[in-house]
Amino acid sequence: MPPTTDSLSDSVLAGGHGPRVGPPSDHLSKSGSKTADDSFVDRELIEETRNQIRSLVEEIHLIAQSDCGRTEFYQGFLTRVTGALASTGGAIWSVAPGGEMSLEYQINLGRTGLADDAGKQLAHGRLLEQLAISGEPTLVPPRSGSGDERGNPTDMLLVIAPLTIEQRVVGLVEIFQRPGSGPTTQRGYLRFLAQVARVAGDFLRNDQLRSFTRRESMWNRLESFVAAVHGSLDSRQTVYAIANEGRRVLECERVSVAVRIGGRMVVQAVSGLDSIERRADQVKRLGRLASSVARAGQPLWYTGDDSRLPPQIESQLHEYLDVSHSKLVIIQPLRRPLAPRPGENEDEDGSRREGPVIGALIVEQLGDERAAAALRERVETVTGHANVALANALDYSSLFLAPLWTRLGRISSAVTAPGWPRRLTIPALLLLAVISLWFLPAAFTLRASGRLVPEMRTEIFAEVDDAVLQELRVPEDPDAIVEKGDILGVMTSNRLDVEIQNLRGQVTMAEEKARKLQRAVTEPGLSPVDRGLIDGDLTEAVELYESVRRQLEMRMTELEKLTIIAPASGHVVNWQLRQNLLRRPVTRGQNLMTIVSPETPWQLELEFPERRVVHLVNAMTKSAEPLTVTFTLASHPGAEFHGRLVSIDNKLDVRGDEGNALLVRVAFDSNQMPRELLRGGTRVTAQIHAGNRSLGYVWFHELLETAHATWLLWF
């Protein structure tokens, strides 16, 4: 049963057997005897001290029951014990299984004088070793040993108690107490320390159980990691296993794997992602940083201090941190393990000789730059297995016709016939493979990438120059439908307002002038000459009036066009419309909005490479029906959808990374996929089914075409 708070405090202050609360002269009368008031002060002071000790002990209990680390516990424990005993200081020592002593925490250890004398340290160390063996709480008086003798070479009273787990001494708690107290008081110190040491032992036992639990969990994760990374020779599956399973072992926020291709590092996998966009700026910057570290040949551990980094790595690191905002970055080069040379043994730790760099393991923390104490060891463990797994996977992937040789190997291992039939097995299998490649039919598909677009859409363009969009009435909900005739926005034009105001003034003036001339021409007594002149002026005034009026009507028509009205019903699909248009000037012909009807069919626009156009044309010529297409969406890679090829463009254009490409349109039933996946511009990967060809042609047609294009004169 753990000691209670009252028993611990009574061990220090128990009926006069504890330390004195104040100097004796403060509690005695001049005649040498205590007065009634002095006895009352003694009781109050003792009770106050007991309450203080009880509070400290309760705090020790709370710390022991918490889930803090050993360092935090030692600090809180020793601070409160030294405070409860009013001692000079103290120390906590751990005892290794071999008997070695190490200092875990100390308070005022320098005031003992041990740091200045090697002989004192030796005597004190032997004393601790003997007490760790005996396992008994002990009082060691000052100056009880010196030189090589076991004892206490300090001027202080040492109160020492063992820290035990299941009756095994795992540490010692040592208190530096001022000398001069009586034997009964010293025994009270010892009893108190022994009892709180049992509380500390309970904490250490619980902490050990938590450590065993964490270690068992770590071993389970490590077993899963090893099984995953060595479970396949496919390089893609291997790098994904290293990234995802490695993150569980390292207990970090992100793990990436880069593979050396040519002279640079290419990021192939990021933990938690099914696929990565290699053209993304962040991925490119990480690849350049990994390439710089690989050229240096040494691991990179960045925890916020870049003062010791080479300039070429520092610049690449800061470029990457600007977009990733990582606090901790570790880049560990992955090397190809080399077998020992003949007559050469492996390294003492069992590791193999390191070969060239084949990749890089990138570990990142986004919220905390502090590295866990065991992180370095875990990174080395993960790196060791990743070296072997990645090297094996790359070697397998580099084999010519690796899938074919794998199948042939399985067949060969099954053939166990003795004698000459066995010698004919390999030639027979090779012949069978050639025949299979020549005659065995296989589905011939043509891959292409593109995007998802609506088949019908309504574009709204600006019809007035020098206008500013002042009001936007498009619903913020992207799924909201606007009706035909709805006002979507209102523009203003200062230029148009000024022109209309001037034209109105000119119309008024021209109209007034025409009226005056009309009255003048009807006055009696005008000579024919004057009447002719007035008629001419009247004609000019009427023509001017009509011209200015027509200009005013045109400007009024433009004024009406400042109000943007929906020409059709549907969804407004523009991204961040308010940020891009509101209170910004627009020009005539500028595309303002795009409206897509909910009932409009969707289609694929594929960029078909020029080098494969001949296969597409031949397949369309031979097939009476439209070619079928199977495609997947980048936003939903786990599902396949089906469509049919409806048209191809008549002109090749430079499109993306494919160079010259032909635009191919594919229609499909929109009901086969969820409505929320129908987003304009979604990237798709498609396979056009071009009939059946021989297995060998399906596998090697690109190789044959490349060879034919490269060495055309040889054929």
Side-chain angles (χ1 to χ4, degrees):
M1 179 180 294
T4 63
T5 304
D6 290 337
S7 65
L8 292 175
S9 60
D10 290 342
S11 297
V12 184
L13 297 173
H17 295 286
R20 294 181 177 178
V21 186
S25 58
D26 293 341
H27 304 288
L28 298 178
S29 63
K30 292 182 179 180
S31 61
S33 61
K34 285 188 176 181
T35 65
D37 292 340
D38 291 334
S39 298
F40 179 74
V41 173
D42 273 349
R43 286 194 301 272
E44 279 192 344
L45 191 55
I46 290 173
E47 186 62 29
E48 180 181 354
T49 305
R50 179 179 287 111
N51 291 335
Q52 293 176 356
I53 295 173
R54 184 181 296 112
S55 175
L56 291 174
V57 172
E58 288 178 352
E59 293 177 5
I60 292 174
H61 273 285
L62 292 176
I63 296 175
Q65 295 170 2
S66 66
D67 195 19
C68 63
R70 290 199 176 192
T71 302
E72 291 82 358
F73 173 75
Y74 288 151
Q75 178 182 4
F77 173 78
L78 193 58
T79 301
R80 287 163 176 79
V81 171
T82 54
L85 296 178
S87 58
T88 302
I92 296 179
W93 307 85
S94 64
V95 181
E100 296 83 0
M101 308 289 297
S102 60
L103 180 63
E104 296 291 340
Y105 192 77
Q106 58 86 20
I107 297 177
N108 293 332
L109 181 60
R111 296 176 61 177
T112 62
L114 293 175
D116 303 329
D117 193 327
K120 291 182 179 180
Q121 296 177 16
L122 180 60
H124 181 257
R126 290 182 174 179
L127 171 65
L128 295 179
E129 292 175 359
Q130 179 62 31
L131 295 178
I133 295 174
S134 66
E136 296 294 333
T138 307
L139 290 169
V140 185
R143 296 296 177 182
S144 60
S146 61
D148 295 339
E149 297 181 3
R150 180 175 64 249
N152 175 15
T154 70
D155 295 329
M156 299 183 180
L157 171 67
L158 300 184
V159 187
I160 305 175
L163 302 175
T164 60
I165 300 178
E166 302 297 339
Q167 298 182 354
R168 179 174 61 87
V169 177
V170 296
L172 297 172
V173 55
E174 180 181 25
I175 300 299
F176 312 132
Q177 191 61 268
R178 301 179 184 86
S181 57
T184 304
T185 301
Q186 295 180 7
R187 287 194 296 272
Y189 295 155
L190 188 60
R191 285 195 301 272
F192 175 78
L193 186 60
Q195 290 175 342
V196 294
R198 286 199 293 273
V199 176
D202 293 339
F203 168 80
L204 295 177
R205 181 175 62 256
N206 295 334
D207 183 68
Q208 188 180 67
L209 292 176
R210 290 192 294 267
S211 176
F212 288 159
T213 302
R214 290 192 297 268
R215 188 175 304 174
E216 181 182 6
S217 176
M218 178 55 62
W219 275 110
N220 292 335
R221 290 196 295 269
L222 184 59
E223 288 181 1
S224 300
F225 170 77
V226 173
V229 299
H230 294 290
S232 174
L233 289 176
D234 182 81
S235 59
R236 182 180 179 85
Q237 295 182 11
T238 300
V239 295
Y240 272 86
I242 293 173
N244 291 286
E245 296 298 328
R247 177 178 176 271
R248 296 178 63 237
V249 174
L250 298 175
E251 296 181 344
C252 60
E253 296 182 6
R254 185 165 61 206
V255 173
S256 306
V257 178
V259 177
R260 190 184 193 109
I261 300 178
R264 62 192 181 94
M265 289 290 181
V266 179
V267 179
Q268 299 280 11
V270 178
S271 60
L273 298 180
D274 293 334
S275 63
I276 57 175
E277 179 56 65
R278 295 193 179 94
R279 291 178 293 181
D281 185 48
Q282 182 173 344
V283 176
K284 289 182 179 180
R285 294 188 184 190
L286 181 58
R288 291 194 292 267
L289 174 60
S291 299
S292 300
V293 175
R295 284 192 292 269
Q298 297 295 325
L300 168 66
W301 284 71
Y302 171 76
T303 58
D305 181 15
D306 57 359
S307 58
R308 298 184 179 180
L309 294 179
Q312 62 273 23
I313 295 181
E314 182 183 359
S315 61
Q316 300 285 0
L317 175 62
H318 285 296
E319 287 184 5
Y320 176 66
L321 294 178
D322 289 341
V323 296
S324 69
H325 308 293
S326 299
K327 301 297 184 182
L328 169 68
V329 178
I330 302 170
I331 300 182
Q332 190 81 14
L334 301 178
R335 298 178 177 272
R336 181 183 299 277
L338 300 179
R341 299 186 183 94
E344 180 184 10
N345 296 325
E346 293 185 351
D347 297 339
E348 294 181 357
D349 58 355
S351 61
R352 302 183 182 182
R353 294 186 299 114
E354 292 184 341
V357 176
I358 57 175
L361 179 72
I362 302 108
V363 182
E364 296 178 74
Q365 285 284 118
L366 305 180
D368 192 354
E369 72 276 5
R370 294 174 298 177
L375 182 59
R376 186 175 297 274
E377 181 180 354
R378 294 177 186 175
V379 169
E380 293 176 355
T381 301
V382 170
T383 301
H385 288 284
N387 287 335
V388 179
L390 184 58
N392 292 337
L394 294 178
D395 289 342
Y396 176 78
S397 301
S398 64
L399 292 176
F400 181 66
L401 299 180
L404 176 61
W405 297 126
T406 301
R407 292 179 174 84
L408 292 178
R410 293 172 181 172
I411 298 175
S412 178
S413 62
V415 178
T416 58
W420 62 269
R422 182 182 301 175
R423 291 193 295 271
L424 295 179
T425 300
I426 294 179
L429 292 177
L430 291 176
L431 179 60
L432 178 62
V434 172
I435 295 175
S436 300
L437 292 175
W438 190 267
F439 293 102
L440 190 64
F444 184 41
T445 58
L446 304 172
R447 295 178 59 87
S449 60
R451 60 194 180 96
L452 191 66
V453 296
E455 186 173 328
M456 298 180 60
R457 53 189 180 269
T458 303
E459 307 285 353
I460 300 177
F461 300 94
E463 300 184 44
V464 180
D465 274 326
D466 301 328
V468 177
L469 186 63
Q470 292 291 350
E471 183 180 355
L472 192 62
R473 301 181 184 179
V474 176
E476 295 187 2
D477 184 5
D479 294 328
I481 297 179
V482 299
E483 300 295 337
K484 181 178 180 179
D486 288 352
I487 297 178
L488 303 181
V490 177
M491 298 185 294
T492 60
S493 174
N494 293 333
R495 174 192 61 79
L496 192 58
D497 291 341
V498 172
E499 290 182 1
I500 289 175
Q501 189 67 27
N502 291 336
L503 288 173
R504 284 177 175 171
Q506 294 178 23
V507 167
T508 302
M509 293 174 60
E511 184 180 11
E512 184 64 26
K513 182 177 179 181
R515 289 176 179 174
K516 290 181 179 180
L517 293 174
Q518 184 67 33
R519 288 193 299 269
V521 78
T522 59
E523 290 181 357
L526 288 177
S527 65
V529 175
D530 292 337
R531 188 179 301 277
L533 292 176
I534 294 174
D535 284 339
D537 293 340
L538 178 60
T539 302
E540 290 181 0
V542 171
E543 291 178 353
L544 176 62
Y545 169 76
E546 292 295 331
S547 174
V548 175
R549 184 180 59 79
R550 286 194 296 269
Q551 293 182 40
L552 179 60
E553 290 178 352
M554 293 173 60
R555 296 299 180 271
M556 294 301 294
T557 302
E558 290 185 11
L559 184 64
E560 294 176 357
K561 294 178 181 179
L562 292 178
T563 301
I564 304 172
I565 298 176
S569 300
H571 302 284
V572 178
V573 298
N574 299 77
W575 175 253
Q576 293 185 341
L577 196 60
R578 284 174 168 76
Q579 291 85 337
N580 295 333
L581 291 180
L582 193 60
R583 295 182 180 85
R584 293 178 181 271
V586 297
T587 58
R588 186 189 302 271
Q590 179 179 342
N591 187 303
L592 299 178
M593 304 175 196
T594 301
I595 298 177
V596 176
S597 173
E599 291 78 18
T600 187
W602 289 72
Q603 64 180 8
L604 307 182
E605 289 187 355
L606 303 179
E607 298 173 0
F608 200 79
E610 179 183 14
R611 63 181 183 276
R612 300 177 186 169
V613 171
V614 63
H615 300 298
L616 180 63
V617 173
N618 291 337
M620 294 177 63
T621 303
K622 295 178 181 179
S623 176
E625 300 293 332
L627 299 182
T628 60
V629 180
T630 301
F631 63 94
T632 60
L633 304 181
S635 59
H636 192 52
E640 288 188 350
F641 307 99
H642 303 280
R644 66 186 186 281
L645 190 147
V646 293
S647 66
I648 61 174
D649 207 344
N650 293 324
K651 186 180 68 171
L652 292 169
D653 289 318
V654 178
R655 302 178 186 273
D657 296 335
E658 294 289 348
N660 281 352
L662 192 68
L663 191 63
V664 176
R665 295 176 180 85
V666 177
F668 65 93
D669 184 5
S670 303
N671 295 325
Q672 63 180 303
M673 66 177 63
R675 175 68 181 82
E676 59 270 13
L677 296 180
L678 295 174
R679 302 288 183 182
T682 300
R683 293 183 297 108
V684 299
T685 301
Q687 289 185 340
I688 302 175
H689 299 277
N692 292 330
R693 302 294 293 270
S694 67
L695 182 62
Y697 186 83
V698 171
W699 284 1
F700 305 117
H701 71 279
E702 290 190 358
L703 177 63
L704 295 175
E705 291 167 0
T706 302
H708 188 272
T710 305
W711 299 289
L712 181 61
L713 296 178
W714 292 85
F715 290 82

